[in-house]
Amino acid sequence: KLRGKNNYQVFTPELARKQRTEARLALDLRDALEQQQLELFLQGQFDQAGQLTGAEALLRWHHPEHGLVPPDTFIPLAEESGLIVPIGRWLVEQAGQLLASWHSNPLSQSLQLAINISSRQFSDPSFVSDLLNCLQRYRFNPNLLHLELTESLLIDNASEVADIMMRLNSQGLTFSLDDFGTGYSSLAYLKRLPLQTLKIDRSFVRDLLNNPNDALIARSIVSLAHNLGLSVIAEGVEEQAQLQALTQMGCGCFQGYYFQRPMPVAEFAARYLQHNARSTA
Ligand code: C2E
Ligand code: MG
Ligand code: MG
Ligand code: MG
């Protein structure tokens, strides 16, 4: 079902097992928030000089039996069941706390925090009020809270989405399009949205050096972003040669294992936000 309605699949014992596991996980997920099994990890984002400019928050689920369950597994389950709404609310709260705590430290007070927002969460009637409420309580600079959306959000209800984005943007919040190039954005539409950043999907970065088509796509995304007056960040940078190629294309910001893997908030703080810490990669 997660694969969409028109996707015919042969029923195999393996598939049956997978579906049972997913059903179990979906049930367990109901308790995950209350049992404090969800944790925010952070992955730094760096400019061309290797200077830390911000971080993306990536959720982790510590399952009591299965250990770490990756977000690619549990976020779709949370979307399907609607649990993404309370999980997203919790995430916004965590983000507010984090930005408030960063505010008092000169090493972190201008760092941007990006959070991922899924379609169902965005469409929830309380989404906007939760965010504005969070802003009001934590009083961080709203420019520093960055919302990552995916193109899929824009397919069905683009004008409604645009309205919500405008409302939040008028309060200072900023947006990027995540996994850019993998969806079906109407290029004409991009211009009308209050976007700040296009995020080059890591599938194009992975084979950048060997596959001329991927290199061409990455280059095109960079120039598209620049022509629209947007900044551009590449995700999934794992090697220095990829970094160099992207830099030559004019990409200004990077994220990936080459710099660091996502890490617990405390580890991130120890690495970057103490007075003897380095803020470069
Ligand atoms: P995303 O937002 O595109 O996040 C980037 C993913 O790429 C993360 O996977 C990150 O760990 C991984 N990554 C970063 N650098 C590299 C690299 O150099 N090489 C490779 N191979 N991978 C890299 P992760 O943390 O497993 O998250 C997967 C997806 O789950 C995210 O993709 C996002 O769509 C979703 N997700 C994660 N946290 C949240 C959340 O709080 N809310 C929502 N709605 N979705 C989330
Ligand atoms: Mg993201
Ligand atoms: Mg992405
Ligand atoms: Mg992705």
Side-chain angles (χ1 to χ4, degrees), residues 40 43 56-60 70-75 79 84 87-88 91 115-119 121 148 150 178-179 199 201-202 206 235-238 242 255-258 260-262:
L40 267 191
Q43 186 181 34
E56 177 175 10
L58 294 160
L59 263 184
R60 298 291 178 259
D72 284 333
T73 303
F74 74 83
I75 294 288
E79 282 246 303
I84 193 67
I87 290 175
L91 176 72
I115 59 176
N116 293 284
I117 306 293
S118 60
S119 306
Q121 184 187 356
E148 294 196 357
T150 55
D178 203 354
D179 305 339
K199 201 162 183 185
D201 189 65
R202 72 169 186 264
R206 189 180 48 219
E235 65 177 15
V237 179
E238 295 186 355
Q242 293 168 337
Q255 187 181 338
Y257 295 168
Y258 172 71
Q260 60 178 226
R261 294 195 173 238

Side-chain angles (χ1 to χ4, degrees), residues 39-58:
E39 183 184 3
L40 267 191
F41 271 37
L42 295 177
Q43 186 181 34
Q45 302 177 329
F46 299 84
D47 65 15
Q48 285 188 346
Q51 193 77 23
L52 183 75
T53 59
E56 177 175 10
L58 294 160

Side-chain angles (χ1 to χ4, degrees), residues 61-122:
W61 178 15
H62 301 277
H63 189 282
E65 291 149 51
H66 303 292
L68 213 61
V69 181
D72 284 333
T73 303
F74 74 83
I75 294 288
L77 298 176
E79 282 246 303
E80 175 128 313
S81 64
L83 279 171
I84 193 67
V85 173
I87 290 175
R89 200 172 285 143
W90 173 85
L91 176 72
V92 165
E93 187 68 22
Q94 299 290 306
Q97 281 179 20
L98 198 57
L99 281 166
S101 77
W102 283 359
H103 183 70
S104 54
N105 181 345
L107 291 176
S108 55
Q109 62 189 194
S110 58
L111 292 182
Q112 202 169 47
L113 180 68
I115 59 176
N116 293 284
I117 306 293
S118 60
S119 306
R120 177 117 178 223
Q121 184 187 356
F122 191 93

